Amino acid sequence: MKPHPILIAAVLLPLAACVRIGEKPPASLMTLTSAAALPAGPPRTARDGQAVAVLVPSVPQALNVLRVPVQTGPTGLAYLKDAQWVEPPARLFRNLLAETIAARTGRPVFDLRQYSLAPGMRLAGRLQQFGLDAGSGEVVVIYDATLARGNDVETRRFEARTKVTREEPGPVSAALNQGANEIAVQVADWIGA
């Protein structure tokens, strides 16, 4: 006896409601915003060597995801529940750096693909930490920067720590944004006008 197609569909339909592929997405996604926005206005002209190319920083594997890492101990790592970035944190941090540098220094800022238009300085680096330290109740942002000015190369470590009131996406996101902005201002001042 061959089962009727409508009978098969009636049996499978309730099961389809129980199956979910992947995780449930969070209610909202997190991003970074620069506190020093570049205003609209006249064009900027770069003299030879004045432009800055800001590259996407490299990251450890723990940051190569859309989740927010939580350091639970010297060798323990978890991810913050219901917290997810809109795009990888390295790209968000690069964009915040670029906006802040352009606004504070007045220099034209490019990404690596535009660098050949006006070669000048190159800012690269490694975003070592960008998450929550559960033991101290702080978000920690550590950026090891490398600045190439012609044949000269300088390196410098920048670090920001910000207390969080609760280990939840909203307060952690706000604290990470604050820490990223603190570092971006320090990097812009290091580059100079």
Side-chain angles (χ1 to χ4, degrees), residues 52-56 97 101 121-125 143 145-148 187 190-191:
V52 181
V54 179
L55 285 62
V56 175
L97 275 174
I101 291 166
M121 292 182 239
R122 291 175 316 282
L123 177 67
Y143 176 58
T146 303
L147 182 63
V187 171
W190 180 45
I191 289 172

Side-chain angles (χ1 to χ4, degrees), residues 38 43-46 50 52 99-109 192-193:
L38 183 64
R44 295 172 179 227
T45 304
Q50 292 297 305
V52 181
E99 182 76 12
T100 304
I101 291 166
R104 289 185 62 89
T105 68
R107 295 174 181 268
V109 176

Side-chain angles (χ1 to χ4, degrees), residues 60 62-63 68-80 128-140 161 167:
L63 293 176
V68 177
V70 178
Q71 193 73 38
T72 58
T75 59
L77 182 73
Y79 287 100
L80 189 63
Q128 294 284 8
Q129 290 187 32
F130 197 74
L132 177 64
D133 181 349
S136 67
E138 299 174 318
V139 297
V140 180
R161 293 178 174 270
E167 292 183 9

